[in-house]
């Protein structure tokens, strides 16, 4: 199923009544920058959803830096934004699709089928001379009933079992940059390293040289060594930048893809969880 749509696809459908466009721009460390950018200019008709205020729960001892939001609160937020079960949702950001993919994943998790990420992002939209304005849409709430897809998510206990088994029956994929994966640097979390047994696939490799998403063939090439008959569990630092890899794996035709939403920041909140440093040995899947 198509998950990424070109800018011109959205431009042609700007005013179709069943489409809600969501601006997801957000900068880590600058929590107000995304909303300020939205208020300055955005795609016409777009509503704004904030990564930390709308698409995450408050931080607690466990759950990571961006815990999944409470389902009832999230569905209420979506409803207020005019997103109902029959709505087609198009999300965009200016962060390579990472924040938009978070909303894409959350909506898929809640059972929404018609949800897309706009290719390239807002800066490319503006550079192409397409319409922007600062007008804020009058929001008409829409009923949203969640149908939670529990098979899309794994919790820390399941990851612990995967690590303990160490039998290759499930593939763990770390979506962070290679130096963070190897534990050479850690600019955000308190502990460096990765979950034992995980392989590294940096999420930004889902993008081409122009900053747009690679096509299905390009995504498949990134994961050519991975088995299609086994479950894949994807994580990152806090569960946000893992979602572009989840999307990319789906584009590549993988069907057994799950998110460890708490990710590395949740994993290290349990002091007894093992930690690996350096590269993992080459693995043969089959």
């Amino acid at each position: 199923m198509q998950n990424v749509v070109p800018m011109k696809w959205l431009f042609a459908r700007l005013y179709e009544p069943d489409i809600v466009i969501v601006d997801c721009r957000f900068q880590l460390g600058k929590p107000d920058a995304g909303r300020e950018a939205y208020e300055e200019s955005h795609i016409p008709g777009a509503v704004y959803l904030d990564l930390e205020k709308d698409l995450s729960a408050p931080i607690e001892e466990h759950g990571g830096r961006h815990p999944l939001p409470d389902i009832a609160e999230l569905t209420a937020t979506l409803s207020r934004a005019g997103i109902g079960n029959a709505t087609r949702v198009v999300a965009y950001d200016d962060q390579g699709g990472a924040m938009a993919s978070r909303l894409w994943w959350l909506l898929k998790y809640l059972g929404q089928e018609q949800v897309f990420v706009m290719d390239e992002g807002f800066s490319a939209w503006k550079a192409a001379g397409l319409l922007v304005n600062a007008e804020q849409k009058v929001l008409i709430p829409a009923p949203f009933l969640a149908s939670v897809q529990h098979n899309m998510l794994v919790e820390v206990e399941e990851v612990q079992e995967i690590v303990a088994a160490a039998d290759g029956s499930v593939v763990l994929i770390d979506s962070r940059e290679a130096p963070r994966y190897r534990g050479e640097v850690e600019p955000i979390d308190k502990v460096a390293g990765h979950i034992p047994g995980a392989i590294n696939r940096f999420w930004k490799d889902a993008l081409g040289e122009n900053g747009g998403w690679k096509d299905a063939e390009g995504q498949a090439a990134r994961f050519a060594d991975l088995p299609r008959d086994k479950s894949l569990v994807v994580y990152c630092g806090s569960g946000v930048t893992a979602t572009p890899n989840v999307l990319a794996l789906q584009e590549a035709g993988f069907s057994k893809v799950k998110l460890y939403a708490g990710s590395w920041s949740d994993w290290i909140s349990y002091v007894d969880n093992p930690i690996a440093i350096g590269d993992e040995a080459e693995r043969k899947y089959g």
Side-chain angles (χ1 to χ4, degrees):
M1 181 180 177
Q2 182 182 29
N3 294 302
V4 179
V5 294
M7 293 185 294
K8 289 184 178 179
W9 183 96
L10 177 57
F11 182 71
R13 294 163 176 80
L14 267 185
Y15 302 108
E16 293 184 4
D18 66 326
I19 283 186
V20 172
I21 304 165
V22 184
D23 188 317
C24 297
R25 283 177 286 174
F26 187 88
Q27 293 185 40
L28 293 175
K30 298 181 179 179
D32 297 323
R35 178 169 284 281
E36 289 169 358
Y38 166 78
E39 291 175 350
E40 181 178 321
S41 67
H42 50 258
I43 294 175
V47 300
Y48 183 76
L49 291 179
D50 185 279
L51 171 66
E52 294 184 343
K53 295 175 182 176
D54 300 313
L55 307 182
S56 304
I59 297 175
E60 297 182 352
E61 180 182 3
H62 302 299
R65 287 183 282 107
H66 292 110
L68 291 185
D70 175 81
I71 289 175
E73 292 182 8
L74 177 58
T75 54
T77 296
L78 296 170
S79 178
R80 287 193 298 271
I83 297 172
N85 294 103
T87 305
R88 287 182 292 166
V89 180
V90 182
Y92 71 88
D93 58 33
D94 234 355
Q95 286 72 39
M99 311 304 165
S101 293
R102 168 74 163 204
L103 177 61
W104 170 87
W105 187 90
L106 285 170
L107 283 165
K108 290 284 187 179
Y109 179 60
L110 297 182
Q112 191 85 348
E113 286 298 323
Q114 296 293 308
V115 52
F116 311 95
V117 172
M118 187 189 79
D119 201 7
E120 299 185 67
F122 180 74
S123 290
W125 174 281
K126 195 172 181 179
L130 300 175
L131 294 173
V132 300
N133 63 34
E135 297 173 10
Q136 296 201 24
K137 181 179 179 180
V138 176
L139 301 180
I140 301 173
F144 189 99
L145 181 64
S147 176
V148 180
Q149 307 298 300
H150 296 286
N151 63 338
M152 291 178 56
L153 180 69
V154 298
E155 303 289 352
V156 65
E157 293 82 6
E158 294 169 82
V159 182
Q160 289 168 336
E161 291 174 3
I162 294 166
V163 172
D167 59 4
S169 61
V170 178
V171 182
L172 286 171
I173 300 175
D174 187 312
S175 303
R176 298 171 300 164
E177 288 184 88
R180 288 185 71 195
Y181 163 79
R182 292 192 296 262
E184 298 167 357
V185 298
E186 184 44 68
I188 303 174
D189 293 308
K190 295 179 180 180
V191 180
H194 63 265
I195 299 173
I199 62 172
N200 185 218
R201 293 290 189 277
F202 184 35
W203 74 270
K204 280 193 175 179
D205 290 339
L207 308 177
E209 293 181 2
N210 67 344
W213 290 79
K214 293 178 180 176
D215 61 15
E217 184 177 339
Q219 304 296 358
R222 297 177 58 215
F223 307 112
D225 59 326
L226 301 186
R228 292 181 176 268
D229 61 338
K230 295 182 180 180
S231 291
L232 311 178
V233 173
V234 188
Y235 76 92
C236 58
S238 70
V240 176
T241 58
T243 57
N245 261 348
V246 174
L247 188 155
L249 283 159
Q250 288 196 11
E251 289 283 290
F254 289 84
S255 59
K256 299 180 179 181
V257 185
K258 302 183 180 185
L259 175 71
Y260 172 27
S263 287
W264 179 247
S265 52
D266 177 58
W267 183 258
I268 61 173
S269 71
Y270 297 88
V271 294
D272 293 331
N273 279 345
I275 291 168
I277 299 292
D279 283 316
E280 294 283 339
E282 284 292 322
R283 291 167 179 266
K284 297 291 184 182
Y285 297 102

